[in-house]
Amino acid sequence: MAREGKRLNRSFGWLAALGILLVIGGVVGLVYTGLATLTSMLLFGWLLLIGGVVGLLQAIQSRGTSYFWLAVVVAALNIAAGVVVIRHPEGSAEALTMFAALLFLTGGLFRLVGSVVVRGPQFGWTLLQGAFGLLLGLLVLFDWPDSSRYVLGVFFSLALLFDGLGLIAIGVGGRRIVSMVTPEPGSGMPPESSENAPDRSNN
């Protein structure tokens, strides 16, 4: 039990350490948004490229099946997209920023119209979400292509920051729970049980 508790403590400690690294990366990215945007695009490009190569290898292994050519086409598209993003990260960032702005605009507009038409129990919250999405999309679109230098970097950094905070919370909380249920060295029961055990020395 004690050995298993130490192993769990070590695992949760690694989770917390990884969370701290992600938080540091998120804070640095928020300070240097241009660098974060470039980094996120390069990571995205390499993920596409590696995923395309793996998909192509799997397609070759499954040759003769009905979906062979579809798998080859999808893998080739991923490889081509990955090469384009890696070679032209700034242009790819501009295209993705435009796409994100259009998503914000359409999503915000649909939420606004839907909240006004339906008027459900979450009317105010849905209306606020729609207005925020519409405003965010307009701000990104009006400042495009200059907005492509920081929008994706901000989103990437915020994702790192919140993921890191979540890992820290899991790591610290997990270590606290493990310490509560793990018996003390030399004891056959948890600390709470040893304290509440009746004194039988007089019996």
Side-chain angles (χ1 to χ4, degrees):
M1 184 72 177
R3 186 182 305 170
E4 188 68 19
K6 289 181 179 179
R7 189 181 67 82
L8 288 174
N9 265 330
R10 192 180 302 112
S11 300
F12 283 120
W14 282 113
L15 276 181
L18 178 60
I20 293 173
L21 290 177
L22 291 181
V23 168
I24 293 174
V27 172
V28 172
L30 289 175
V31 175
Y32 302 100
T33 53
L35 180 60
T37 298
L38 185 62
T39 303
S40 63
M41 294 309 303
L42 291 176
L43 286 175
F44 180 59
W46 279 108
L47 286 176
L48 285 175
L49 184 60
I50 295 173
V53 171
V54 172
L56 185 60
L57 293 176
Q58 290 179 346
I60 293 173
Q61 291 177 355
S62 63
R63 59 183 178 276
T65 59
S66 57
Y67 56 87
F68 168 71
W69 288 109
L70 177 61
V72 170
V73 170
V74 172
L77 289 176
N78 283 336
I79 292 173
V83 171
V84 170
V85 172
I86 292 172
R87 293 190 62 181
H88 307 283
E90 295 181 357
S92 302
E94 292 180 2
L96 284 179
T97 302
M98 172 65 75
F99 181 68
L102 293 177
L103 281 181
F104 288 137
L105 283 173
T106 54
L109 187 60
F110 275 114
R111 282 193 177 93
L112 279 176
V113 175
S115 63
V116 172
V117 172
V118 177
R119 290 185 176 272
Q122 302 293 330
F123 168 73
W125 179 247
T126 307
L127 187 68
L128 181 62
Q129 283 183 318
F132 179 76
L134 189 63
L135 178 62
L136 185 59
L138 289 174
L139 289 175
V140 174
L141 192 60
F142 287 158
D143 197 31
W144 189 86
D146 292 337
S147 58
S148 63
R149 300 175 183 173
Y150 58 86
V151 169
L152 297 178
V154 169
F155 290 162
F156 179 68
S157 301
L158 287 176
L160 287 180
L161 182 62
F162 287 116
D163 287 346
L165 290 175
L167 287 178
I168 291 174
I170 293 174
V172 173
R175 287 174 64 90
R176 186 174 301 170
I177 293 174
V178 169
S179 64
M180 291 173 59
V181 300
T182 303
E184 295 178 349
S187 173
M189 61 183 65
E192 293 85 352
S193 302
S194 61
E195 291 177 0
N196 297 328
D199 186 7
R200 298 178 181 178
S201 59
N202 297 325
N203 295 338

